[in-house]
Amino acid sequence: MRTLRISHPAISGSKNAETIHFYRDILGMDLVLRQDNLDVPWEEHLFFHVGHDTFIAYFVPKEGAQELPPAQSGSGHLDHLAIDVDDASLEEAMGRLSAEGITFEGPVDRGYERSIYFQDPNGATVELLAWLTTPPPGIPQAAIIKRAQAVREARGARFIEDEDIRTAIADLTGQPPDVR
Protein backbone atom coordinates (compact mmCIF):
# COMPACT_ATOMS: atom_id res chain seq x y z
CA MET A 1 0.00 0.00 0.00
CA ARG A 2 1.21 3.51 -0.81
CA THR A 3 -0.32 6.55 0.85
CA LEU A 4 -0.56 9.77 -1.15
CA ARG A 5 -1.35 12.52 1.37
CA ILE A 6 -3.75 13.42 4.15
CA SER A 7 -6.98 14.27 2.38
CA HIS A 8 -8.56 16.04 5.33
CA PRO A 9 -8.90 16.06 9.08
CA ALA A 10 -12.57 15.78 10.04
CA ILE A 11 -13.29 17.97 13.03
CA SER A 12 -16.48 18.17 15.05
CA GLY A 13 -17.31 21.79 15.76
CA SER A 14 -19.90 23.72 17.68
CA LYS A 15 -20.37 26.89 15.62
CA ASN A 16 -21.77 26.81 12.08
CA ALA A 17 -21.82 30.38 10.72
CA GLU A 18 -18.71 31.35 12.68
CA THR A 19 -16.76 28.39 11.24
CA ILE A 20 -17.71 29.35 7.68
CA HIS A 21 -16.79 32.99 8.27
CA PHE A 22 -13.48 32.05 9.87
CA TYR A 23 -12.16 29.60 7.27
CA ARG A 24 -13.72 31.20 4.18
CA ASP A 25 -13.62 34.93 4.91
CA ILE A 26 -10.70 35.33 7.32
CA LEU A 27 -8.34 32.55 6.16
CA GLY A 28 -9.50 32.77 2.53
CA MET A 29 -10.29 29.10 1.90
CA ASP A 30 -12.94 28.05 -0.60
CA LEU A 31 -15.98 26.33 0.89
CA VAL A 32 -16.25 23.62 -1.76
CA LEU A 33 -18.93 21.45 -0.16
CA ARG A 34 -21.79 22.26 2.18
CA GLN A 35 -24.38 19.57 2.73
CA ASP A 36 -26.18 17.56 5.37
CA ASN A 37 -23.96 15.17 7.30
CA LEU A 38 -24.84 11.76 5.88
CA ASP A 39 -24.48 10.14 9.32
CA VAL A 40 -25.94 12.73 11.71
CA PRO A 41 -29.12 14.43 10.45
CA TRP A 42 -28.86 17.52 12.69
CA GLU A 43 -25.31 18.32 11.50
CA GLU A 44 -23.95 19.97 8.39
CA HIS A 45 -20.81 18.79 6.57
CA LEU A 46 -18.48 21.65 5.53
CA PHE A 47 -15.45 21.03 3.29
CA PHE A 48 -12.84 23.80 2.97
CA HIS A 49 -10.11 23.62 0.30
CA VAL A 50 -6.73 24.37 1.87
CA GLY A 51 -4.76 23.99 -1.37
CA HIS A 52 -3.04 21.27 -3.40
CA ASP A 53 -6.10 19.02 -3.05
CA THR A 54 -6.03 19.01 0.74
CA PHE A 55 -9.09 19.92 2.76
CA ILE A 56 -10.46 20.56 6.24
CA ALA A 57 -13.81 18.92 6.98
CA TYR A 58 -16.01 20.29 9.72
CA PHE A 59 -19.15 18.69 11.10
CA VAL A 60 -21.15 21.43 12.79
CA PRO A 61 -24.71 21.66 14.09
CA LYS A 62 -27.19 23.00 11.54
CA GLU A 63 -28.42 26.52 12.23
CA GLY A 64 -30.75 26.36 15.22
CA ALA A 65 -29.50 22.97 16.50
CA GLN A 66 -27.95 22.66 19.95
CA GLU A 67 -24.27 23.65 20.07
CA LEU A 68 -21.65 21.12 21.10
CA PRO A 69 -18.93 21.78 23.71
CA PRO A 70 -15.77 23.53 22.43
CA ALA A 71 -12.66 21.61 21.36
CA GLN A 72 -9.99 20.68 23.89
CA SER A 73 -6.38 19.57 23.68
CA GLY A 74 -5.15 16.40 25.31
CA SER A 75 -4.66 12.71 24.70
CA GLY A 76 -7.03 11.54 21.98
CA HIS A 77 -7.98 15.09 21.04
CA LEU A 78 -6.77 17.37 18.27
CA ASP A 79 -3.76 19.33 19.52
CA HIS A 80 -3.63 21.71 16.57
CA LEU A 81 -4.20 21.95 12.85
CA ALA A 82 -1.10 23.15 10.95
CA ILE A 83 -1.44 24.83 7.55
CA ASP A 84 1.47 25.79 5.27
CA VAL A 85 1.43 29.34 3.91
CA ASP A 86 4.04 31.59 2.31
CA ASP A 87 5.60 34.63 4.00
CA ALA A 88 3.20 37.12 2.42
CA SER A 89 0.18 35.07 3.45
CA LEU A 90 1.47 34.77 7.01
CA GLU A 91 1.76 38.56 7.20
CA GLU A 92 -1.70 38.96 5.64
CA ALA A 93 -3.18 36.47 8.10
CA MET A 94 -1.78 38.38 11.08
CA GLY A 95 -3.42 41.54 9.74
CA ARG A 96 -6.75 39.81 9.12
CA LEU A 97 -6.75 38.15 12.52
CA SER A 98 -5.94 41.44 14.25
CA ALA A 99 -8.66 43.24 12.29
CA GLU A 100 -11.17 40.59 13.40
CA GLY A 101 -10.05 40.90 17.03
CA ILE A 102 -8.64 37.36 17.06
CA THR A 103 -5.59 37.10 19.29
CA PHE A 104 -2.67 34.98 18.15
CA GLU A 105 0.67 33.88 19.51
CA GLY A 106 3.73 34.61 17.43
CA PRO A 107 5.29 34.65 15.08
CA VAL A 108 7.26 31.92 16.83
CA ASP A 109 10.63 30.78 15.45
CA ARG A 110 10.49 27.02 14.92
CA GLY A 111 14.00 26.54 13.53
CA TYR A 112 13.18 26.25 9.85
CA GLU A 113 9.76 27.88 9.91
CA ARG A 114 7.88 30.65 11.65
CA SER A 115 4.43 30.04 13.00
CA ILE A 116 1.45 31.79 14.50
CA TYR A 117 -1.15 30.06 16.65
CA PHE A 118 -4.77 30.99 17.31
CA GLN A 119 -8.11 29.37 17.97
CA ASP A 120 -10.94 28.95 15.50
CA PRO A 121 -14.53 29.62 16.64
CA ASN A 122 -14.83 26.02 17.86
CA GLY A 123 -11.79 26.24 20.14
CA ALA A 124 -9.50 24.22 17.84
CA THR A 125 -5.95 25.60 17.72
CA VAL A 126 -4.77 26.51 14.21
CA GLU A 127 -1.12 26.99 13.27
CA LEU A 128 -0.13 28.88 10.14
CA LEU A 129 3.49 28.23 9.25
CA ALA A 130 5.86 29.60 6.63
CA TRP A 131 9.17 27.95 5.84
CA LEU A 132 12.14 30.32 6.17
CA THR A 133 13.62 28.81 3.01
CA THR A 134 10.86 28.02 0.55
CA PRO A 135 11.04 24.48 -0.82
CA PRO A 136 11.76 24.54 -4.55
CA PRO A 137 9.08 23.27 -6.93
CA GLY A 138 9.27 19.58 -7.66
CA ILE A 139 10.96 18.53 -4.42
CA PRO A 140 8.55 17.11 -1.85
CA GLN A 141 8.70 18.54 1.64
CA ALA A 142 9.05 15.00 2.99
CA ALA A 143 12.31 14.52 1.08
CA ILE A 144 13.65 17.86 2.33
CA ILE A 145 12.72 17.18 5.96
CA LYS A 146 14.11 13.64 5.84
CA ARG A 147 17.45 14.87 4.44
CA ALA A 148 17.51 17.82 6.89
CA GLN A 149 16.96 15.34 9.74
CA ALA A 150 20.12 13.47 8.69
CA VAL A 151 22.04 16.76 8.43
CA ARG A 152 20.81 17.79 11.90
CA GLU A 153 21.84 14.47 13.39
CA ALA A 154 25.31 14.74 11.78
CA ARG A 155 25.66 18.21 13.37
CA GLY A 156 24.65 16.78 16.75
CA ALA A 157 21.89 19.38 17.03
CA ARG A 158 18.61 18.87 18.88
CA PHE A 159 16.40 20.54 16.27
CA ILE A 160 16.30 21.09 12.51
CA GLU A 161 17.35 24.64 11.70
CA ASP A 162 17.04 26.60 8.46
CA GLU A 163 20.71 25.87 7.67
CA ASP A 164 19.82 22.15 7.65
CA ILE A 165 16.97 22.81 5.23
CA ARG A 166 19.24 24.83 2.90
CA THR A 167 21.86 22.04 2.99
CA ALA A 168 19.19 19.41 2.34
CA ILE A 169 17.85 21.35 -0.65
CA ALA A 170 21.39 21.75 -2.00
CA ASP A 171 22.01 18.01 -1.58
CA LEU A 172 18.74 17.14 -3.34
CA THR A 173 19.19 19.60 -6.21
CA GLY A 174 22.94 19.35 -6.66
CA GLN A 175 23.18 23.13 -6.31
CA PRO A 176 25.37 24.98 -3.79
CA PRO A 177 23.60 25.84 -0.54
CA ASP A 178 21.78 29.15 -0.33
CA VAL A 179 23.86 31.18 2.15
CA ARG A 180 22.05 33.76 4.23
Side-chain angles (χ1 to χ4, degrees), residues 49-137:
H49 183 232
V50 179
H52 299 287
D53 285 337
T54 59
F55 304 88
I56 297 170
Y58 248 108
F59 296 105
V60 293
K62 290 180 181 176
E63 293 295 338
Q66 181 179 353
E67 288 188 3
L68 300 171
Q72 59 181 339
S73 290
S75 179
H77 296 277
L78 174 73
D79 184 75
H80 70 278
L81 176 65
I83 301 168
D84 283 340
V85 297
D86 59 24
D87 282 330
S89 295
L90 187 64
E91 295 299 324
E92 180 183 348
M94 289 188 285
R96 284 185 178 193
L97 293 168
S98 294
E100 291 283 334
I102 298 169
T103 58
F104 58 89
E105 176 189 348
V108 177
D109 179 0
R110 294 284 179 215
Y112 66 95
E113 61 192 28
R114 355 183 260 145
S115 301
I116 60 172
Y117 299 87
F118 49 93
Q119 290 192 333
D120 78 4
N122 302 292
T125 299
V126 177
E127 173 190 10
L128 297 181
L129 64 98
W131 285 45
L132 298 176
T133 298
T134 304

Side-chain angles (χ1 to χ4, degrees), residues 11 20 33 38 77 114 124 166 177 180:
I11 305 168
I20 293 170
L33 179 135
L38 297 172
H77 296 277
R114 355 183 260 145
R166 290 192 313 272
R180 294 188 180 204

Side-chain angles (χ1 to χ4, degrees), residues 29-64:
M29 295 178 193
D30 286 334
L31 177 59
V32 297
L33 179 135
R34 184 179 186 183
Q35 66 182 26
D36 290 347
N37 181 348
L38 297 172
D39 301 314
V40 181
W42 54 270
E43 284 185 338
E44 202 167 31
H45 179 189
L46 309 174
F47 216 49
F48 298 94
H49 183 232
V50 179
H52 299 287
D53 285 337
T54 59
F55 304 88
I56 297 170
Y58 248 108
F59 296 105
V60 293
K62 290 180 181 176
E63 293 295 338

